[in-house]
Each structure stands twice: as C-alpha cells, then as structure tokens.
Amino acid sequence: MTVFFLSSLIFLFAGFIQGLTGFGGGLVAIPLLCMIMDVKLAIPLSILSGLVITTIMAFGLRRFIDVRKILPLLIGSIPGVFIGTVLLKQADPVAINRILGLLLLGISGINLLFKPNPVNPPVIWGYLAGFLSGSINAAVGAGGPPAIIYTTLTDWKKDEIKATLTGFFMLNGYITAAVHAFHGMITQTTVGYFLSTLFFVVLGTFAGSRISGRINRRTYLQVVYILLMGLGILMMAR
C-alpha cells in the first residue's frame, strides 16, 4: 500500500512537470520510482503513464502540432527504440545515465549563463535527436533530452516547441510501449500500478498545463533549462 501511495505522489508531480514544460515526466518519475521498486518495473510503468500525459496534452495543443516538425524525430526514433529495448534487457543503465546527466548539465549551463541566438539546426539533426531519444527512452525511460535540445535550438514559438515535443513523445511512447509489451516487459503488475496511479497522472497534467499557458517563451525556456540541470544532477546520482 505504501508503494502505491508513493507512486501516486510521484506521478502527480511528474504529470505536473510535463504539463508545465511539455517534457520531463519520465525524467522526474524514473529516479524516484527506482527508490521504491525495481528499475525493470519502473521504466515500463513510467512509459505507460507518459502515454496518458502526452495524449491529454496533444489534444490540448492540437492546433499547434505540425507533423513536418515531428516526423524527423519520429522516424529517427524507431530503430532507436529496438536498440534501447535490448539494452534495457541486457545492459547496466548506470553509464548511460551519467553520460546523459553530463550532457544535460553542460547544455543547461551554457543556455542559462549565455543567451545564444537560435541556430535552426538542419533537419538531419532531427533524425539524430529522434534516434538518440528513442534509444535512451526505451533503455532508461529518460529519452527526452536529445529532442528537447534540438527543438529549443530553433526559433519556434513556445507552443510550437511544446506541441512538437508532446506529439513526438506521444507517438514514440506508443511505439516503445508496443515493443516493450512484445518483449514481455509489461506485466500484470505493471498494469496494476498504472491503473492505480492513473487519476494522479491526469490531475498533475491538467494542473501543469493550466500554469504553462500563463508564461512567455523566455520564461518557459528558463524553466526548461533549470529543470534539465536539476534532472542532470539526478541522473548523475542514479
């Protein structure tokens, strides 16, 4: 009962963070869930809950979603999901977490200390970001950073960034969940925890989305990079 209660609080917080920024639910949930359950339960559970969050958000942001922005990320992620699932079953994710944590700290520090102009990276970087996001998400449930970094380097508006990330995470999440189910990573226990925490996931998502609508692009990006820095520290400590 204690584990169910703590899981509900974790997903309430994770839903709020993702509703606010368009990402971060899994990055917040995974380290906290791993304190109370096995990592191979925590990751598929976080991915299922992430599907609820991103589906709700995608509906709310539907008028800002541009398939042309999402497609390179999604296409690149598909082979990455299969590679990441194999890593989840066979590899120790600690090294991946630490490398990703260092990357987050570096990128966040640069963008908080300086104000670089948008560079609008070529679309090929979208495919690469998608591949890395798919691999990392399937392996350790925290694949957001490559896609986040790619979108925040553009000159897109806040809602365009948030909608692109949300659409990508939703579609990639369905692919990842299907591959995990095929490989036996989603069990009756996973589904039980998912159903028990569903209300709190939805509540947190709506609360975060309401607040997000009241902040401008500059504030939004500052929140994003501060959160990424904090998540980088968490991943280094995992």
Side-chain angles (χ1 to χ4, degrees):
M1 185 62 69
T2 301
V3 174
F4 279 106
F5 175 73
L6 293 175
S7 299
S8 297
L9 292 180
I10 289 169
F11 281 118
L12 177 67
F13 181 52
F16 176 81
I17 292 297
Q18 185 133 354
L20 179 66
T21 64
F23 75 96
L27 287 164
V28 169
I30 293 295
L32 298 175
L33 288 173
C34 288
M35 296 179 183
I36 59 174
M37 63 179 65
D38 184 82
V39 64
K40 292 187 179 180
L41 171 60
I43 290 172
L45 174 59
S46 179
I47 288 170
L48 288 180
S49 297
L51 285 178
V52 175
I53 297 170
T54 53
T55 301
I56 292 171
M57 291 179 59
F59 180 78
L61 292 164
R62 61 192 181 280
R63 67 185 183 279
F64 299 107
I65 290 177
D66 185 343
V67 175
R68 293 170 298 178
K69 291 183 172 71
I70 296 172
L71 207 54
L73 292 165
L74 183 64
I75 292 172
S77 75
I78 293 173
V81 168
F82 288 92
I83 292 172
T85 300
V86 173
L87 289 174
L88 174 61
K89 295 182 73 175
Q90 299 181 356
D92 183 354
V94 172
I96 298 174
N97 281 329
R98 290 181 178 171
I99 292 170
L100 187 56
L102 280 173
L103 177 64
L104 292 183
L105 289 173
I107 294 293
S108 301
I110 290 170
N111 282 274
L112 286 171
L113 292 173
F114 305 100
K115 293 182 173 61
N117 294 322
V119 296
N120 287 315
V123 70
I124 187 66
W125 290 100
Y127 291 101
L128 178 60
F131 174 78
L132 293 174
S133 288
S135 302
I136 297 167
N137 192 52
V140 298
I148 295 161
I149 292 167
Y150 170 72
T151 57
T152 54
L153 289 175
T154 68
D155 59 359
W156 301 343
K157 296 179 181 177
K158 180 195 76 173
D159 286 327
E160 291 175 326
I161 294 173
K162 191 173 178 182
T164 300
L165 289 173
T166 297
F168 167 62
F169 292 147
M170 179 186 70
L171 296 172
N172 178 253
Y174 280 107
I175 294 170
T176 304
V179 173
H180 276 187
F182 179 77
H183 284 270
M185 303 301 296
I186 296 176
T187 64
Q188 288 185 342
T189 303
T190 311
V191 174
Y193 275 103
F194 168 68
L195 294 175
S196 299
T197 58
L198 182 59
F199 170 77
F200 297 92
V201 170
V202 174
L203 180 62
T205 304
F206 276 112
S209 296
R210 290 291 298 273
I211 295 174
S212 176
R214 302 175 185 177
I215 59 178
N216 58 34
R217 185 183 190 275
R218 181 178 178 182
T219 303
Y220 171 77
L221 289 178
Q222 287 177 334
V223 171
V224 166
Y225 286 118
I226 290 170
L227 179 59
L228 282 177
M229 181 168 284
L231 294 173
I233 293 170
L234 276 177
M235 298 196 78
M236 290 288 291
R238 280 173 64 181

